[in-house]
């Protein structure tokens, strides 16, 4: 299953640099692991924000929960999750229910 | 995978009763099929609205898309989808990442 | 009466682990009691968040208030409550007011 | 059960006066019935809008759905429903869970 | 004049119980006075929240401001105020401007 | 009583000029009457929009409803109403409840 | 130029009374000066809130910025500013671009 | 005075191409005039939308209203207007009220 | 440059099937071209909606505008565009401005 | 690439003046550098707020991220970024996809 995950981190501005950099380093390390094991397929920064949007590939929502709550910065994060379905243009097309089928209320 | 699906149907008030009732009947029939085949596990009405919220159980988001677009009223619907993870209180608990593990950036 | 209840817990990230885990444990224990006594019928996690959505079954809104305010984490929660009506597809159908009846302003 | 119900009616401005006034009259008649049978306990206009807010008293959400969908103007309405619990200041107080009880996770 | 007033109290979760309960008690006492003198006509709890919605009856908005700012919990409150007009169904009807009159731009 | 009233008119762009200008003229005429009789105390345009914000002075919310629904454009309007209280800086000051009084829950 | 300015002050509830009342007094004094010099033309309280809405009359937005940032409570304020244009009903009418002129894309 | 103006045009998708292109052409022509006479100082497209954001330079809000309502597409537009003040970094600095001055409530 | 583009298509439910399917086919064809030429790098369906989210790779915002407005369904679309920056975890890292550098206001 | 960037700074009101003024000075200095090197093309204050909106000109989103995170006040900022495309009225026109081309799904 693929999810579009938007992570916005709200570290207190007054947090001392040492603790802040340690957390950011731990986050980067954990992130690298999740990229390496394929959990995080794609990741982009939202320019100007301590936030990113990425495509996470996991067996199911339970696994997604475990992966996300493993992030060192999780406690400071707002997490938005959207399930993604395959699009016929970029993957073996899932049969789009044609309008005809829908009008008869059947998809067989 | 389970999804919390919120369907709000906006039929034009001026639609003639005949067409309206035919669509509602086709929708009910298709809904019965989706309940029977286990796709729709639970369904509740939102009182006072032509809207419902339900728990849909499908293999993945692609299957959810096919099921939802098979609804006769789909063209008139606003669809909100939220992925659901199991909760330890009501299902075999998925290990909650303890804070200790998180601080060390590991979940093994 | 059934309610769809969405609980989002906002524990301060800086809360020390000991107090945090004690609260989470007390919450889980209280939750287990509410599941056991049937107040919480269904419960799902929202992946990636310290939040859940569930179906609570209570005599009325007063009872719901007592149950929700009994949660150890209540002071840190945002609580969203929606009343649920039965849906004819998944329960003994409540007569949907047919359009004809409505036009005459009667439901007898 | 009591609900705070907010009804906003969006009749098309171009609807001819005859049909508009007939619908408004049927709505008033149905409303009078619901006031007479105690379903609508209180009703106020929101000044300047074709909208009202009221306290509806019904056995449960199913009954509320039947009552609301019986309104002649229902098809043109946006309906917002909020469950109301009794307040100790204006009704026999429901025991507020004291903080002490909550800390011990019990309400007995 | 009648107002629908929605009060949401946001007490810091970490406030010690003694101060919290003292404030809640003072609030209840002041509330009882406002109910007794007719300022608060109706009051309901929003289940699961430290919030209520009520009908306040005051000479005008100035009096409403004085009454609301007299609440011990006022500093911790979000206050939403809506003016209410009488509804013909539940009070001596104020003449609804008929469409005919409006088209001629007169209400005499 | 004074209200801050925000009126946004949404005339269909395709409405023919003749009907549009006739409505705008009738609206201006009715507006002039409401200014003359003191109901509209102040009125400003929101630049670039068919919308205005104004101070309406009426005995109560019922009178405000009658005045607003008398506007020829009312059917095409979104109406936002806010009750205004006097401010001590620009009117004979209404006693601001001092913090001391509030702490003791009294305003006498 | 005239602006509709909405000021919502969020003083920390725990601020000690002495500092709170000193700030409120300094704010009132500064406000009186701005009323006296004509910068603040009109001011109303929003009942139940530490907030006001007013009409500020200044040469331009720079002057408005200087006036607003001179308020002792400015650091605790949310400031909403809307430019106001004259309305023909209450001031020497600015020629409304007639539809005819607009269709020809000219305003001369 | 400078304003940041955001114009979003909502032409009905079913409008025939001829009328649509005629309106777009008239809009471009009027826009060119407003650029030439300096009313529109800067203009950018919001990629993917029939919308633009621009800096309009006008004597005051009345002039802005006249300019905006002169646009052939005005009837189909949502218009958002924000007053802009000069910034000391890019224009002769307007004295920022120093905190010291503010504490004494004076700006002389 | 990469953009996260969210396209929500709102075809009128009453559009006849023939025109609807012709448009959908033309859209799919144009989409295939944009995938083939690399403009659309990734594309996913949002389950249950006639909407997709994708990563578009274009030289700049002008090129993005041309590509998006070339879509046959463009007139019926709501388009949301977000610029994406590279993330060090999944691309050659762009130097994150370290806190130290920022405190000295330099990025050299 | 050009971006419309909206920066809202939320400094804690209780921050002591010395630290506050030092940060504001460092911010102004860094801002001057970004204006000098052409990164910030235009900048305006939003009257009454510690906020500005500006046009930033950078090679791409990565460069924008580096520039924005170099601001001394970045930790206290809410950052909104919108990509800007050229508008034919104020720059060498990028060919607007004519409706004809779009209907044929081609832009060659």
């Amino acid at each position: 299953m693929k999810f579009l995950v938007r992570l916005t981190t709200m570290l207190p501005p007054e947090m001392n640099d040492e603790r802040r950099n340690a957390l950011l380093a731990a986050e980067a390390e954990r992130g690298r692991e999740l990229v390496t094991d394929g959990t995080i397929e794609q990741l982009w920064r939202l320019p100007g924000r301590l936030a990113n949007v990425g495509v996470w590939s996991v067996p199911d929502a339970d696994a997604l929960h475990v992966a996300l709550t493993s992030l060192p910065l999780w406690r400071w994060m707002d997490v938005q999750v959207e399930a993604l379905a395959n699009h016929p243009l970029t993957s073996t097309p899932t049969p789009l229910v044609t309008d005809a089928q829908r009008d008869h209320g059947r998809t067989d």
Side-chain angles (χ1 to χ4, degrees), chain A:
Chain A
M1 266 285 298
K2 298 206 176 167
F3 293 89
L4 189 69
V5 176
R6 185 180 292 259
L7 302 177
T8 305
T9 305
M10 292 157 286
L11 287 177
E14 309 290 355
M15 182 183 273
N16 71 62
D17 288 354
E18 201 196 328
R19 172 141 161 74
R20 181 186 173 93
N21 293 335
L23 273 169
L24 289 171
E27 182 75 9
E29 196 205 320
R30 181 60 190 143
R32 209 164 289 116
E33 291 166 10
L34 291 169
V35 169
T36 311
D37 71 20
T39 300
I40 297 178
E41 276 196 7
Q42 320 229 18
L43 202 59
W44 302 274
R45 264 189 185 143
L46 296 173
R49 302 173 71 92
L50 195 54
N52 64 60
V53 65
V55 177
W56 293 53
S57 178
V58 283
D60 54 33
D62 295 346
L64 179 62
H65 185 73
V66 171
L68 285 166
T69 55
S70 77
L71 294 171
L73 287 177
W74 180 59
R75 290 194 195 183
W76 290 271
M77 279 181 175
D78 174 63
V79 178
Q80 304 287 334
V81 162
E82 268 184 298
L84 296 176
N86 287 307
H87 195 288
L89 283 185
T90 53
S91 66
T92 39
T94 319
L96 179 69
V97 176
T98 67
D99 298 309
Q101 285 164 320
R102 189 176 308 110
D103 292 343
H104 304 295
R106 308 294 308 163
T107 57
D108 47 18

